[in-house]
Every structure is written in C-alpha cells, then in structure tokens.
Amino acid sequence: MSKRGRFITLEGVDGAGKSTHAGWLVEAIRAAGHTVLATREPGGTPIGEKLRELVLHEPMRLQTETLIMFAARCEHLHTVIEPALERGAWVVCDRFTDATYAYQGGGRELGAAPVAALEAWIDAPQPDRTWLFDVPLEVARARLACSRDPDRFEREDGIFFERVRAAYHARAQAHCRRVHVVDGSQPLAVVRARLEAELAELLAGAA
Ligand code: TMP
C-alpha cells in the first residue's frame, strides 16, 4: 500500500492572494514526484459545487449557511479528499474548516462551538499544514474592488472582514504548529521563496 499523502490547506480573507500561489504550489509538489489533487471549498464534488452556487449567491440564515458549508465538506472529505490521501496523493485544498471558524464563527459572530461540533460530527481531520495568507485589510479590500461580480461574502463590509481576519489569527495562535501565517503583502518572489523552503521540509517529511 502506498504511503498516505499529505493534506495542505490554503486560507485567508478574500483578496489575500492565496489563489495566486495555489497553482505554483501544486506544480512544485508534482515536480517532486507526487500525485496532487488540487481542490477547493465550498465545492470539490458535483454536490459541493451546487451547494457553492447556493451559499455564495442566495440569501439565507446563518445556521443554514453553516450547515451548507459542512454538507459540502462532508461529501468532499469522504468521497474525494480521504480516498486521495489513502491512495498516497497529496491534496491541496483552497479553504477548509478554518474558513468556517473564520467566516461563520468570527465574521458572522456564530462563535466557535457550533463549528467545532459540526467538525467533530463529520469527522474532519486537521490538515498537515495550513498556510494562512494575511494582508492588511486595505490591501484585501482594494483587490476585491476589482472583482466584477462580488458574491455574498465579498460584498460584506470592512468590519466583517476585520472579524474574519481576527478569527483566522486566533486559529493560527491556537494551532501554531499547523497554521503558518504568510505575509501576502510582500513581493511575490519573497512569498514564493518562503513557501518553497517550507514545502521542501514537508517533502522531506521533516515538518
Ligand atoms: P473562495 O472565493 O476563496 O473560493 O471562497 C468562497 C467564499 O466562501 C469566501 O468568501 C469564503 C467563504 N467561505 C465561508 O464563509 N465558509 C467556509 O467554510 C468556506 C470554505 C468558505
């Protein structure tokens, strides 16, 4: 049986630049000889992508929003992510449960307890490494202003994103071995060099 793959997640407020680095990261892991699955949440399965459309665009209650995030995650985790890791593939996932702690728990002020309960119920694991892309809110907001068709989250105000960012920082503090904060306002080459160094450790099995 092949060795279990590693589970990497990318997080950050909208506009923090995580997607800019996702493609490079996937290619770097592939170049090191691993099979890589690049995926995202909410989404990553046919059901998950339908739920994504709903949750990003339809007005709904906070509880409904949170349950949809976890419904999509449950399908994704158990039908795609876990089987891939079992086959030995590495999984790079654009957002995972930390996003629910940050957006619903922090941004929407639901608190962490319901998120933790749902996380346990669907048996969601902690990723092996999470890179949290962090930028000052003005930078994130300026990047978002260029987005032509903002979704329900992107349309939120600055105070919402302050809360999301604070909740992400709290996650990083509470899980400091797993969640590494990357200053996304640095030049691209600097961010990439940092990721490259950390990825080398992961590839060597040292981290
Ligand atoms: P994306 O634009 O990075 O693909 O993410 C879609 C939006 O969904 C983003 O604004 C964050 C939000 N989101 C949550 O609110 N809770 C979650 O659990 C996840 C995965 C995403």
Side-chain angles (χ1 to χ4, degrees), residues 151-172:
D151 61 41
R152 280 200 316 119
F153 296 98
E154 292 167 334
R155 281 200 300 270
E156 288 291 342
D157 60 15
I159 296 164
F160 173 85
F161 284 105
E162 288 283 4
R163 289 195 298 264
V164 173
R165 189 172 179 225
Y168 266 135
H169 283 166
R171 293 293 292 164

Side-chain angles (χ1 to χ4, degrees), residues 161-185:
F161 284 105
E162 288 283 4
R163 289 195 298 264
V164 173
R165 189 172 179 225
Y168 266 135
H169 283 166
R171 293 293 292 164
Q173 271 197 343
H175 299 266
C176 56
R177 283 175 66 92
R178 169 176 68 85
V179 183
H180 291 195
V181 182
V182 177
D183 179 354
S185 60

Side-chain angles (χ1 to χ4, degrees), residues 25-94:
L25 202 59
V26 167
E27 284 313 314
I29 298 169
R30 205 165 269 150
H34 294 282
T35 303
V36 190
L37 171 74
T39 188
R40 68 171 180 181
E41 291 207 349
T45 64
I47 287 177
E49 291 296 328
K50 285 184 181 167
L51 292 174
R52 178 185 176 92
E53 270 310 299
L54 274 178
V55 80
L56 293 192
H57 300 292
E58 298 292 331
M60 62 184 69
R61 297 178 64 81
L62 171 56
Q63 289 93 335
T64 312
E65 180 180 294
T66 308
L67 289 167
I68 288 182
M69 293 299 179
F70 273 100
R73 181 162 302 133
C74 188
E75 280 297 305
H76 190 210
L77 174 64
H78 296 293
T79 69
V80 175
I81 296 176
E82 277 295 340
L85 292 170
E86 281 296 310
R87 286 194 305 271
W90 285 45
V91 175
V92 176
C93 191
D94 193 334

